[in-house]
Amino acid sequence: MSARIRPRDDLALMEGYHSPQVDVPVRLNTNESPFPPPAAFTQRLAAAVHDVEWHRYPDRAATELRTRIGAMHGVGPERVFAANGSNEVLQTLLLTYAGFGRTVATFEPTYALHSHIAHLTGATVIEGERDDEFVLSLDEVDRVLAAGNPSVVFLCSPNNPTGREEPRELVTAVLQRVTDRGALLVVDEAYGQFASWTATELLTEDTPLVITRTYSKTWSMAAARLGYLIGPGWVVSELDKIVLPYHLDVLKQQAGILALEFAEDMNARVAAIVEERGRIVGRLAALDVQVWPSGANFVLFRPRSMDGATVWKGLLDRGVLVRNCASWPRLDGCLRITVGTKDENDAFLRALEETL
Ligand SMILES: *Cc1c(COP(=O)(O)O)cnc(C)c1O
């Protein structure tokens, strides 16, 4: 047999992205919404399927979807880019502005897909560090900008997996530096609706800032794979040249438009999750664990006198799955729990108290 073709040499050592699923009663490991979309949404989407002209390509520019999303954020459709999950938004950004010969900056620990996709495009990644409380200093930002001269700088607020929000003063200061350097600042706000502030207020047509959002978490639509960004029109028009034609199918566009009509239901769910988050953090603070403040729909904690992996297994034995970050770099011994329904959260707290 002749030799098999190998993948690109620069990808040979890369691992894929994994989020192991285990079949247990209480699954609190992937930051999804614990609530399905409202029944009326599902019914109206089913009705919309009948009107689809399946023999035609979808609206390539997804004009109505972009218009509705833009209206929600007070901008026109020319400042909205939508794609298959915010992961495809990130990929398109990096294909356009990173790639071979360019550098991308991340501040760790953060969402693994930022550096992963940057590497896939052939870019170099420079990693900045946070302190023990997962707080980023402007000195560290300055060090990374000077050392790497990045084209694209990532912030994630609230940050996954720490839950911490970047303060407005920090984002404003980073944006000033990125602007002066002629680079692009990407603020990943996948959990933006759960937070106390949003960087969308810093957006202008003349600022090299984009904010990415997703339907996967707040909108109870992880199955639909839909995300978007808001940014300057001159960025959006470049992304439109790079993304594959007709990448957003007609049903997804419909689902995305329809979901926005249920904003009230969504806001009520966000409020319920934020309240439960407060309850979980309060209860954890009384246990033998270290816990960090969260602006998201999840909470990071670290058992003090027990090994994180052992606690993770103890929870699993009691039917509760959380994300095991215990062996991840910079997250030694940490676990991350997604806020679930009240009953699920009670099951988690009970299992944790028993395990500890
Ligand atoms: C979950 C998550 C996303 C969402 O990705 P989708 O592709 O929209 O599902 C993006 N960024 C962060 C930080 C996330 O945690």
Side-chain angles (χ1 to χ4, degrees):
M1 202 181 101
S2 52
R4 281 193 187 153
I5 184 168
R6 289 179 299 114
R8 272 160 48 187
D9 290 334
D10 62 320
L11 300 185
L13 289 175
M14 283 186 78
E15 298 265 346
Y17 179 77
H18 300 290
S19 186
Q21 275 307 344
V22 186
D23 198 12
V24 293
V26 180
R27 261 172 39 184
L28 301 174
N29 66 328
T30 47
N31 297 349
E32 294 150 321
S33 172
F35 311 111
F41 165 82
T42 318
Q43 283 156 13
R44 287 184 53 194
L45 186 60
V49 174
H50 292 286
D51 300 332
V52 169
E53 293 190 320
W54 287 106
H55 58 302
R56 303 293 184 195
Y57 281 106
D59 173 14
R60 180 170 173 173
T63 312
E64 191 182 354
L65 176 64
R66 292 196 204 202
T67 302
R68 299 285 187 96
I69 292 172
M72 181 170 60
H73 290 282
V75 301
E78 72 288 349
R79 296 186 51 191
V80 180
F81 176 79
N84 292 284
S86 53
N87 286 336
E88 195 193 26
V89 174
L90 298 173
Q91 183 189 53
T92 312
L93 273 169
L94 290 167
L95 285 171
T96 308
Y97 293 107
F100 185 73
R102 292 193 175 196
T103 297
V104 172
T106 64
F107 296 94
E108 302 295 329
T110 191
Y111 188 50
L113 267 279
H114 296 158
S115 55
H116 179 77
I117 301 172
H119 281 132
L120 288 177
T121 70
T124 301
V125 175
I126 181 166
E127 294 182 340
E129 301 290 334
R130 290 160 192 278
D131 70 13
D132 290 347
E133 292 295 317
F134 304 121
V135 172
L136 179 59
S137 75
L138 210 46
D139 284 347
E140 177 64 357
V141 173
D142 284 333
R143 183 191 70 79
V144 165
L145 294 183
N149 192 25
S151 305
V152 179
V153 176
F154 274 103
L155 290 175
C156 186
S157 183
N159 188 25
N160 182 5
T162 67
R164 302 216 67 157
E165 294 182 30
E166 300 294 6
R168 186 192 320 248
E169 302 69 43
L170 180 96
V171 178
T172 307
V174 174
L175 180 58
Q176 187 58 56
R177 285 156 168 78
V178 166
T179 305
D180 292 344
R181 288 176 162 270
L184 178 70
L185 177 62
V186 181
V187 181
D188 186 332
E189 286 195 356
Y191 305 95
Q193 291 96 332
F194 301 102
S196 64
W197 81 284
T198 163
T200 51
E201 64 192 56
L202 304 176
L203 288 166
T204 76
E205 182 60 19
D206 298 321
T207 311
L209 168 68
V210 301
I211 313 283
T212 63
R213 290 276 180 109
T214 176
Y215 280 68
S216 296
K217 315 284 160 58
T218 333
W219 291 97
S220 298
M221 281 172 59
R225 310 301 305 125
L226 183 58
Y228 63 91
L229 69 73
I230 308 289
W234 51 269
V235 169
V236 170
S237 60
E238 295 300 332
L239 302 179
D240 281 333
K241 296 178 200 162
I242 302 304
V243 76
L244 291 174
Y246 308 113
H247 65 132
L248 279 183
D249 68 76
V250 68
L251 206 50
K252 181 178 326 231
Q253 293 187 33
Q254 281 291 327
I257 292 163
L258 203 51
L260 301 186
E261 294 184 20
F262 294 86
E264 248 176 66
D265 299 68
M266 187 275 269
N267 288 332
R269 285 143 195 257
V270 168
I273 288 169
V274 167
E275 195 180 326
E276 279 292 287
R277 180 183 76 201
R279 190 170 73 91
I280 292 171
V281 171
R283 287 280 291 276
L284 290 179
L287 296 176
D288 190 21
V289 302
Q290 187 178 5
V291 58
W292 288 272
S294 170
N297 67 341
F298 57 83
V299 178
L300 189 77
F301 66 99
R302 175 191 279 142
R304 287 187 206 272
S305 3
M306 268 177 92
D307 175 53
T310 309
V311 174
W312 181 80
K313 183 67 173 43
L315 294 172
L316 192 61
D317 291 342
R318 289 167 179 82
V320 179
L321 177 64
V322 301
R323 196 70 185 268
N324 184 1
C325 317
S327 63
W328 297 4
R330 308 170 182 87
L331 289 165
D332 196 26
C334 289
L335 304 177
R336 190 194 69 192
I337 180 224
T338 305
V339 178
T341 62
K342 193 167 182 310
D343 287 350
E344 289 173 328
N345 302 331
D346 283 338
F348 158 72
L349 290 166
R350 218 177 307 121
L352 182 64
E353 280 167 2
E354 284 177 25
T355 305
L356 295 173

